[in-house]
Amino acid sequence: MLKLKKFGKALAAAALVAGSTAVAAAEWPTQPVNLVVPYPPGGPTDIVARVVADELGKRLGQTVIVDNRAGAGGNIGADLVARANADGHTLLIATTAHAINMSLFKNLNYNTRTSFEPVSLLTEGPLVLVTNPDVKAGSVKELVELAKSSKHGLTFASSGNGQSTHLSAELFRTMAGIEMTHVPYKGSAPAMTDLMSGQVDIMFNTMLSSMPFVKEGKLKALAVTSAQRSQAAPDLPTIAESGYPGYEATAWNGLLAPKGTPADVLAKLNGALKEVLADPSVKERFAAQGFDARWLSTQDFGAFIDNEISKWADVVEKSGATVN
């Protein structure tokens, strides 16, 4: 009888915990949701975040605030969210960099695999290989020939160490067997300014940041980094079809929550995002930036991140890329 009483109490306690979790999830969010963007305002990730915040807030019935916490290649914002309360009110807009940083930086205060709960992918799209108009190359083949014939090789800009704009170029350098010197900047805007003025030769950058300058004749576009041609620039070949089969690098944005966030909260958030990313107006706004809206289940997004970490770790090792 005593054992039965203890068993009954244990069941009651378990039911109470389960019930409180369900109630918490049903009531969430109970306050404004903080969407941490680990980059400055105005960049591609910030633009994606503001579209998502606006639409997500409508579906959750709560304000979603975009909080820019830039610095250290996206690591400052990521560390902040990793240490936040796991109640679903502080979330991270993660990018390709948070997969790359796992192998590029030696002393991170967070672990992309274990410090967060995956929620969903948000967007994915190619980068575009652009050059200063004075660079004597009109194709990827001619660019490689130029690099091989140049005494000092080429210089390439990036929006910062560990960004997709950095490692996509390192992957290309390794596959093409050419010399290129990395020149990191604090964001895409200053990098583009120096590229257009001839301070650096090339850059792998987002289509959102690059294509307006291409249309104005201030930059030349040679290829896109995706496996297939981009609908935003269908005349541009891929790097893979330009002589480097297997080359593929995409810039993505996704949503992560602190480790330990209740599963029911994650499910509610993931379901709301599914509606947001299926909205035709959202798809149209992302397409104009060269991104595809892409929803994934929490489980599939976790697998996606795991694969990205492994992929870029291999690139870092083979290329010898370092943080400088």
Side-chain angles (χ1 to χ4, degrees):
M1 182 63 71
L2 183 60
K3 288 184 178 180
L4 284 175
K5 286 183 178 179
K6 288 183 178 180
F7 182 66
K9 288 181 180 179
L11 280 178
L16 182 62
V17 171
S20 63
T21 300
V23 169
E27 294 176 349
W28 178 89
T30 59
Q31 63 191 55
V33 176
N34 206 38
L35 200 57
V36 175
V37 176
Y39 303 104
T45 299
D46 181 67
I47 292 172
V48 168
R50 292 181 189 280
V51 172
V52 170
D54 183 45
E55 296 297 327
L56 191 58
K58 295 175 185 177
R59 287 161 176 82
L60 295 178
Q62 184 61 265
T63 302
V64 179
I65 302 169
V66 174
D67 182 8
N68 296 90
R69 298 297 185 100
N75 291 329
I76 289 177
D79 181 47
L80 184 151
V81 176
R83 292 183 288 105
N85 291 333
D87 58 7
H89 291 101
T90 302
L91 307 169
L92 174 70
I93 296 286
T95 71
T96 315
H98 295 100
I100 294 170
N101 290 352
M102 286 284 290
S103 53
L104 191 64
F105 288 83
K106 302 304 180 186
N107 297 301
L108 290 179
N109 293 322
Y110 68 90
N111 184 306
T112 307
R113 281 191 173 106
T114 61
S115 300
F116 305 99
E117 302 286 357
V119 181
S120 176
L121 193 62
L122 300 173
T123 64
E124 189 174 21
L127 301 176
V128 57
L129 169 55
V130 288
T131 76
N132 177 277
D134 293 332
V135 171
K136 306 299 182 183
S139 67
V140 172
K141 180 181 179 181
E142 290 177 1
L143 184 71
V144 171
E145 291 173 350
L146 178 64
K148 289 183 176 179
S149 64
S150 172
K151 184 177 180 180
H152 301 292
L154 299 174
T155 54
F156 74 92
S158 80
S159 56
N161 285 309
Q163 305 303 303
S164 57
T165 55
H166 173 195
L167 268 293
S168 57
E170 295 285 7
L171 176 60
F172 175 68
R173 178 180 67 80
T174 302
M175 292 182 70
I178 58 176
E179 291 297 322
M180 294 202 305
T181 301
H182 179 212
V183 184
Y185 289 82
K186 294 182 178 180
S188 176
M192 295 295 280
T193 297
D194 274 10
L195 178 62
M196 287 184 283
S197 68
Q199 300 301 308
V200 286
D201 298 318
I202 71 170
M203 184 175 181
F204 287 71
N205 202 11
T206 63
M207 300 191 77
L208 171 66
S209 299
S210 302
M211 294 311 290
F213 297 114
V214 172
K215 292 175 181 177
E216 293 173 7
K218 296 178 180 179
L219 291 174
K220 287 191 299 185
L222 302 186
V224 293
T225 63
S226 47
Q228 306 295 328
R229 293 196 180 199
S230 170
Q231 293 183 0
D235 293 336
L236 282 179
T238 66
I239 289 178
E241 69 182 281
S242 299
Y244 300 94
Y247 181 97
E248 181 182 7
T250 58
W252 53 264
N253 296 284
L255 198 63
L256 298 176
K259 189 69 176 180
T261 300
D264 287 351
V265 171
L266 296 175
K268 186 174 180 179
L269 185 54
N270 180 270
L273 283 174
K274 187 174 185 178
E275 293 181 11
V276 169
L277 297 173
D279 189 313
S281 66
V282 171
K283 287 185 174 183
E284 185 177 343
R285 291 164 76 181
F286 286 155
Q289 302 169 26
F291 290 122
D292 291 327
R294 189 177 170 198
W295 173 86
L296 289 178
S297 68
T298 55
Q299 182 176 359
D300 286 346
F301 185 42
F304 175 90
I305 291 174
D306 190 64
N307 182 67
E308 283 285 288
I309 291 172
S310 298
K311 169 187 172 179
W312 290 112
D314 187 55
V315 173
V316 169
E317 181 180 359
K318 289 181 179 177
S319 69
T322 58
V323 176
N324 50 28

